[in-house]
């Protein structure tokens, strides 16, 4: 029933946004090592500019920034999970979709304010 509604009652942009949300959030696309603007545009069968239009319109940031934000949030959730207390930090970084420790460090340096907010939210 939901698919019927999506197909016949939503306009194309709404359908595309719903499809983006499904792949990006439900399937956690941002955790894939191959996550990129080009790859998700192929999955969704739309142009990279259309993907960026969706992310900037609905999430107020470019696709790469949205990926970085959710990767870091995933990392922090896993890092603060007591079940993972025995795991090395490097394995948590890799499980969050970062290709290396350097990529992780670069994201933190580029997004200091967002990282600070995530850390404060968890400890306050």
């Amino acid at each position: 029933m939901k698919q019927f509604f999506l197909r016949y009652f939503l306009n194309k942009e709404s359908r595309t946004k719903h499809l983006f949300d499904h792949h990006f959030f439900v399937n956690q696309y941002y955790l894939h090592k191959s996550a990129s603007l080009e790859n998700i545009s192929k999955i969704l069968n739309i142009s990279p500019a259309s993907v960026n239009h969706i992310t900037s319109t609905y999430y107020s940031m470019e696709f790469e920034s949205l990926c970085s934000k959710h990767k870091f949030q995933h990392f922090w959730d896993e890092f603060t999970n007591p079940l993972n207390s025995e795991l090395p930090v490097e394995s948590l970084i890799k499980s969050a979709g970062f290709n290396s420790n350097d990529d992780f460090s670069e994201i933190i340096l580029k997004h200091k304010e967002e990282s600070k907010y995530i850390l404060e939210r968890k400890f306050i």
Side-chain angles (χ1 to χ4, degrees):
M1 185 68 160
K2 184 178 180 180
Q3 291 176 348
F4 176 79
F5 175 77
L6 290 172
R7 182 172 292 159
Y8 295 105
F9 293 107
L10 292 179
N11 64 27
K12 183 174 168 102
E13 184 175 340
S14 295
R15 284 193 310 263
T16 303
K17 190 228 180 256
H18 184 75
L19 188 61
F20 173 84
D21 288 348
H22 173 75
H23 285 283
F24 191 83
F25 296 110
V26 175
N27 292 341
Q28 296 181 318
Y29 175 78
Y30 52 88
L31 296 179
H32 294 221
K33 299 266 189 241
S34 63
S36 71
L37 180 61
E38 292 76 25
N39 285 343
I40 197 154
S41 67
K42 289 177 186 174
I43 290 169
L44 301 176
N45 197 28
I46 59 175
S47 71
S50 296
V51 174
N52 265 331
H53 173 74
I54 291 169
T55 60
S56 62
T57 301
Y58 295 99
Y59 305 106
S60 302
M61 59 183 68
E62 297 291 320
F63 175 79
E64 297 299 333
S65 295
L66 189 64
C67 274
S68 297
K69 174 184 174 184
H70 285 280
K71 282 181 180 185
F72 184 79
Q73 282 181 325
H74 180 82
F75 163 79
W76 191 249
D77 290 343
E78 294 300 315
F79 181 75
T80 56
N81 184 338
L83 293 173
N84 295 328
S85 63
E86 300 294 319
L87 293 177
V89 174
E90 186 173 347
S91 71
L92 297 175
I93 289 171
K94 298 262 189 214
S95 74
F98 295 101
N99 292 320
S100 68
N101 293 349
D102 291 338
D103 288 346
F104 176 73
S105 298
E106 187 178 315
I107 294 300
I108 290 177
L109 291 174
K110 284 183 180 177
H111 302 283
K112 287 181 184 179
E113 286 303 313
E114 292 94 340
S115 302
K116 180 180 167 185
Y117 172 75
I118 291 169
L119 296 173
E120 286 175 350
R121 187 181 56 161
K122 294 292 183 178
F123 285 112
I124 294 179

